[in-house]
Amino acid sequence: MDLVLQTPDTQPPLRGWLDRHMRRIARLAQAPGGRITLLITDDERMSQLHQQYRGEAGTTDVLTFDLRDEAEGSLEGDVVICLDEARRQARQRGHDVRMEVLLYAVHGLLHLLGEDDQTPAEARRMHQREDALLAQAGLEPVYAGR
């Protein structure tokens, strides 16, 4: 698990905290090993990536890029997280920005593990799994109650 910050770190810091929790959650999710880069960026860069790769204008919370040649085997991917969006959502929902960023990272991990959220039923299952993994890691569920 690599963490790349393209923004100033939060207070308390993401560095150390986010990668530690994601390593634990990846084990709980039975991820097959490999390498995931968590890239923390801002609205401007996320908007560029969102347009370039999804053809959609404006920012978004998280984008996941599966870099494997084949869907089986070790994970290899990038999870790009918008810190500005995480701050907005955390403030609106009344919890720590680090927990919102962690939720986005878990969401990206689940995409790399083959889960999808294109239909309402898939989204519901995926969000339930996110919260279950956070709870198994000894943290508060973030998505519940939205």
Side-chain angles (χ1 to χ4, degrees):
M1 197 73 54
D2 294 322
L3 179 61
V4 177
L5 293 168
Q6 292 184 330
T7 64
D9 205 346
T10 61
Q11 288 304 319
L14 286 167
R15 191 173 302 284
W17 183 89
L18 180 61
D19 32 336
R20 182 178 69 249
H21 283 294
M22 279 303 295
R23 280 191 292 275
R24 178 169 166 72
I25 289 170
R27 283 191 301 274
L28 292 168
Q30 299 179 343
R35 185 181 195 111
I36 299 172
T37 299
L38 303 172
L39 175 68
I40 311 299
T41 196
D42 60 15
D43 277 332
E44 182 179 353
R45 182 66 179 133
M46 184 60 97
S47 293
Q48 293 168 350
L49 293 170
H50 199 207
Q51 181 66 49
Q52 181 178 354
Y53 291 100
R54 299 292 306 262
E56 297 179 29
T59 193
T60 191
D61 50 4
V62 59
L63 291 171
T64 304
F65 299 94
D66 190 336
L67 304 176
R68 295 176 291 183
D69 292 328
E70 298 182 23
E72 299 298 319
S74 296
L75 296 181
E76 183 74 25
D78 293 339
V79 178
V80 183
I81 296 168
C82 183
L83 184 58
D84 293 327
E85 182 64 18
R87 282 189 173 117
R88 286 188 291 272
Q89 293 300 318
R91 189 170 31 252
Q92 182 179 350
R93 294 173 188 355
H95 58 254
D96 183 76
V97 68
R98 293 190 314 173
M99 287 303 297
E100 190 74 16
V101 169
L102 180 59
L103 173 68
Y104 299 168
V106 172
H107 187 85
L109 171 67
L110 292 179
H111 276 305
L112 292 172
L113 291 172
E115 296 194 31
D116 213 342
D117 58 353
Q118 295 301 306
T119 69
E122 288 173 334
R124 189 171 38 259
R125 276 192 303 275
M126 196 167 177
H127 295 315
Q128 287 170 345
R129 179 109 191 265
E130 291 161 2
D131 277 346
L133 287 167
L134 291 170
Q136 288 174 354
L139 301 163
E140 291 291 320
V142 176
Y143 201 85
R146 286 189 175 186

